[in-house]
């Protein structure tokens, strides 16, 4: 058996890709997944190519692996190799093989070639949504990401995703439902639907058959995403569903009606606004305005007062003046998201914004990002205080070995995996049988500690 290790980088969508790569290899009679790089014969760097820092991290991971294990084979896969396959085939001699992310089943033939001492460079067309029933998970037990779309057709001027992953395509509803049924049957409690833009599900140029099928199943008058959610609602079982990544310019308000009908859909919304300045939003090739986005959040909160909002902001976009930044800061204070991430603009090859001027000094962009982070920190602490004294269902991710007291780390419904804070669960010795990885327990929130919460099992 040839042992392989996958070094994961990037977003949740890339993690799903990594699990698919591992499943394709593990289902053969030749390859076996290793727990760490040291025990592997073959190391696969599942790279990210979204922004400069992520690209550097992925390249460094490959160089470090080759330096630490010169006798092992190292393959560069994922978004970065999809984006720069031709360049890397000549310049990145440390890579024993290069594979894009078009058809993930290519990994078997790529690994076979590498182990035969060939140096394949494989980049398949971006067609359909590459998936399989995953038999490998790199996440926490009983929580899973389910990808429902691939690519993106929004073409924000700063974003390289359409360059890397192509135009929007959607998975057939029955394929998604089959995956969710299998996960639920196997005990998965938390289903996180992901795609570059969930709002665009079923709207791609090649998605006509998907749209027709959804109309047959749920009738006319619903967005494809709401129709899909209606079908998910028919699945029996004790599980919850979270929607991640919805572009603000075409938020599907009919999904809120589905959520009213089925409480298993969490009132958690991940809407990346990127800016609160209408001028900058327009330069980002978006059609919304600060006023439109503010009204949208206000309307959503009227329907779900308990809703959780996560968003993302970018500072230093070309042409961003002090006035524009102040508008973004004011917008942040106005909508008061529970969580938000902030990063300074990364100038990406082949994107329209690459040539936009005037450019903002990196130092200025970083300072502005720090201001937004500080504002968000204060908002988050205030929001978290509202949970103190309440009892929530907590999905346990890790049990912490501790001689002095029993501790575990988990998440409540208002905390998405890997990006939001956590809940520390304290419990007594006699409750050990109840607390294990993947268990869903009841805990009372006692205090706020930074972005995390302290609790006790009830």
């Amino acid at each position: 058996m040839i042992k392989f290790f996958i070094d994961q980088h990037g977003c949740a969508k890339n993690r799903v890709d990594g699990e698919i790569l591992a499943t394709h290899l593990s289902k053969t009679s030749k390859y076996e997944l290793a727990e760490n790089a040291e025990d592997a014969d073959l190391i696969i760097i599942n790279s990210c190519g979204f922004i400069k820092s992520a690209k550097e991290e992925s390249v460094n991971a490959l160089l470090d692996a080759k330096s630490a294990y010169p006798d092992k084979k190292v393959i560069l896969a994922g978004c970065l190799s999809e984006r720069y396959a031709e360049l890397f085939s000549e310049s990145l001699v440390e890579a024993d093989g290069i594979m894009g992310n078009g058809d993930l089943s290519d990994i078997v033939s790529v690994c076979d070639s590498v182990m035969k001492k060939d140096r394949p460079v494989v980049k398949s067309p971006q067609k359909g949504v590459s998936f399989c029933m995953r038999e490998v998970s790199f996440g926490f037990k009983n929580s899973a990401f389910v990808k429902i779309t691939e690519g993106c057709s929004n073409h924000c001027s700063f974003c390289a995703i359409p360059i890397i992953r192509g135009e929007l395509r959607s998975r057939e509803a029955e394929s998604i439902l089959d995956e969710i049924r299998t996960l639920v049957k196997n005990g998965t409690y938390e289903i996180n639907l992901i795609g570059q833009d969930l709002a665009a599900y079923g709207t791609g140029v090649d998605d006509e058959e998907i749209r027709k099928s959804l109309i047959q199943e749920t009738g006319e008058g619903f967005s494809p995403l709401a129709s899909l959610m209606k079908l998910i609602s028919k699945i029996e079982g004790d599980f919850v569903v979270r929607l991640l990544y919805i572009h603000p310019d075409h938020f599907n308000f009919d999904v809120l009606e589905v959520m009213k009908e089925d409480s298993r859909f969490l009132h958690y919304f991940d809407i990346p606004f990127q800016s609160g300045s209408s001028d900058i939003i327009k330069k980002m090739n978006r059609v919304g305005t600060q006023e439109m986005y503010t009204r949208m959040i206000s309307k959503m909160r009227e329907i779900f007062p308990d809703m959780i909002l996560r968003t993302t902001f970018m500072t230093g976009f070309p042409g961003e003046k002090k006035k524009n930044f102040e508008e973004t800061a004011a917008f942040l204070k106005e909508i008061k998201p529970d969580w938000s991430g902030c990063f300074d603009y990364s100038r990406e090859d082949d994107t329209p914004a690459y040539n936009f001027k005037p450019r903002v000094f990196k130092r200025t962009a970083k300072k502005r990002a720090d201001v937004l982070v500080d504002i968000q920190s204060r908002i988050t602490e205030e929001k978290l205080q509202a949970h103190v004294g309440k009892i929530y269902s907590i999905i346990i991710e890790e049990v912490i070995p501790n001689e002095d007291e029993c501790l575990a780390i988990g998440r409540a419904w208002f905390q998405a995996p890997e990006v939001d804070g956590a809940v520390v669960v304290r419990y007594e010795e006699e409750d050990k049988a109840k607390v294990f990885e993947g268990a869903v327990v009841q805990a009372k929130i006692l205090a706020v500690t930074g972005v995390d919460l302290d609790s006790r099992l009830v």
Side-chain angles (χ1 to χ4, degrees):
M1 295 288 285
I2 299 169
K3 290 192 174 184
F4 70 92
F5 175 75
I6 296 188
D7 182 15
Q8 284 287 107
H9 297 267
C11 65
K13 297 179 288 296
N14 214 37
R15 197 186 87 181
V16 171
D17 287 356
E19 293 170 347
I20 293 172
L21 294 175
T23 297
H24 280 306
L25 288 170
S26 297
K27 288 173 75 172
T28 71
S29 59
K30 292 182 286 187
Y31 296 98
E32 180 182 1
L33 181 63
E35 291 189 5
N36 54 66
E38 185 176 350
D39 295 334
D41 306 297
L42 176 68
I43 299 170
I44 300 167
I45 310 295
N46 191 27
S47 64
C48 177
F50 184 48
I51 59 176
K52 181 180 178 181
S53 59
K55 290 187 284 187
E56 290 175 347
E57 177 186 296
S58 294
V59 171
N60 288 336
L62 182 137
L63 297 177
D64 290 345
K66 201 63 183 174
S67 175
Y69 309 108
D71 296 330
K72 300 182 189 294
K73 299 296 185 182
V74 182
I75 294 172
L76 184 70
C79 288
L80 187 63
S81 50
E82 174 72 21
R83 190 172 179 184
Y84 298 110
E86 294 80 6
L87 174 65
F88 287 158
S89 66
E90 308 238 343
S91 64
L92 196 61
V93 295
E94 293 83 355
D96 295 300
I98 295 169
M99 176 184 147
N101 56 17
D103 184 350
L104 299 177
S105 66
D106 286 338
I107 190 62
V108 177
S109 61
V110 168
C111 289
D112 287 347
S113 295
V114 167
M115 297 311 293
K116 291 176 184 176
K117 299 186 179 180
D118 293 331
R119 188 174 183 266
V121 178
V122 176
K123 187 176 174 181
S124 300
Q126 291 286 348
K127 292 183 178 180
V129 180
S130 190
F131 72 95
C132 68
M133 288 296 182
R134 290 165 286 160
E135 298 177 2
V136 176
S137 173
F138 295 141
F140 293 106
K141 192 172 182 181
N142 291 341
S143 174
F145 293 108
V146 175
K147 188 191 294 188
I148 69 171
T149 68
E150 186 60 274
C152 185
S153 297
N154 287 317
H155 293 278
C156 298
S157 61
F158 59 84
C159 186
I161 293 299
I163 300 168
I164 299 171
R165 291 185 178 264
E167 297 295 312
L168 170 78
R169 305 84 82 186
S170 304
R171 275 177 71 181
E172 293 181 358
E174 195 54 40
S175 166
I176 297 167
L177 296 171
D178 281 345
E179 181 172 4
I180 294 175
R181 290 188 195 106
T182 300
L183 288 167
V184 172
K185 183 180 179 181
N186 293 336
T188 300
Y189 173 73
E190 181 184 62
I191 306 292
N192 298 282
L193 300 184
I194 59 171
Q196 197 60 37
D197 175 15
L198 295 190
Y201 173 74
T203 65
V205 293
D206 295 325
D207 290 347
E208 184 177 355
E209 291 303 315
I210 291 175
R211 292 192 290 273
K212 287 181 179 178
S213 174
L214 288 169
I215 290 172
Q216 289 177 351
E217 292 287 341
T218 62
E220 297 184 354
F222 304 102
S223 68
L225 177 60
S227 294
L228 175 65
M229 291 169 64
K230 282 179 170 290
L231 296 177
I232 293 173
S233 286
K234 295 181 180 181
I235 299 175
E236 296 182 357
D238 181 18
F239 64 97
V240 295
V241 182
R242 178 183 283 106
L243 308 182
L244 293 176
Y245 322 128
I246 299 180
H247 194 289
D249 283 351
H250 34 87
F251 183 87
N252 317 81
F253 268 91
D254 57 354
V255 306
L256 305 182
E257 296 303 315
V258 183
M259 290 180 169
K260 284 182 183 178
E261 297 169 2
D262 189 344
S263 61
R264 293 177 300 178
F265 286 100
L266 302 176
H267 304 164
Y268 183 108
F269 303 94
D270 187 343
I271 306 174
F273 290 112
Q274 305 301 357
S275 177
S277 167
S278 297
D279 289 341
I280 297 300
I281 292 168
K282 185 176 181 180
K283 290 179 180 178
M284 289 178 169
N285 196 34
R286 295 184 165 201
V287 299
T289 64
Q290 184 196 81
E291 293 74 21
M292 288 171 56
Y293 294 160
T294 301
R295 286 197 303 270
M296 180 178 77
I297 296 304
S298 178
K299 183 177 178 181
M300 292 170 66
R301 285 189 170 132
E302 286 179 8
I303 298 171
F304 292 128
D306 67 339
M307 69 169 271
I308 299 298
L309 175 64
R310 161 168 275 280
T311 188
T312 308
F313 290 105
M314 177 191 300
T315 58
F317 188 80
E320 183 188 63
K321 300 175 182 178
K322 182 181 179 182
K323 173 179 175 288
N324 302 127
F325 168 69
E326 289 173 346
E327 289 170 343
T328 296
F331 176 65
L332 171 58
K333 292 175 183 177
E334 175 71 22
I335 64 170
K336 290 189 175 181
D338 298 80
W339 312 98
S340 74
C342 185
F343 59 98
D344 48 290
Y345 168 72
S346 176
R347 189 168 174 241
E348 293 301 314
D349 302 335
D350 301 320
T351 62
Y354 184 86
N355 294 314
F356 285 6
K357 294 179 181 180
R359 295 174 197 154
V360 179
F361 287 116
K362 202 73 173 173
R363 182 173 65 250
T364 301
K366 181 66 169 62
K367 284 182 178 179
R368 290 174 180 174
D370 290 342
V371 171
L372 296 187
V373 168
D374 183 61
I375 294 171
Q376 182 62 58
S377 295
R378 282 179 270 134
I379 295 172
T380 297
E381 183 174 359
E382 177 186 341
K383 295 270 190 175
L384 290 176
Q385 287 290 347
H387 298 297
V388 175
K390 297 180 181 179
I391 296 173
Y392 292 103
S393 295
I394 308 295
I395 182 170
I396 301 299
E397 293 183 335
E398 185 179 4
V399 177
I400 307 298
N402 191 310
E403 294 182 359
D404 298 326
E405 62 177 328
C406 299
L407 297 173
I409 305 295
R411 286 180 295 104
W413 72 269
F414 47 83
Q415 297 164 315
E418 302 179 4
V419 292
D420 298 333
V423 178
V424 177
V425 180
R426 303 176 189 276
Y427 57 100
E428 303 299 330
E429 186 77 24
E430 57 264 29
D431 291 321
K432 272 191 171 182
K434 300 178 185 176
V435 184
F436 52 88
E437 291 182 14
V440 179
V441 302
Q442 299 295 301
K444 183 176 182 178
I445 307 301
L446 303 176
V448 177
T449 308
V451 297
D452 298 325
L453 295 166
D454 200 23
S455 75
R456 181 161 293 280
L457 191 74
V458 297

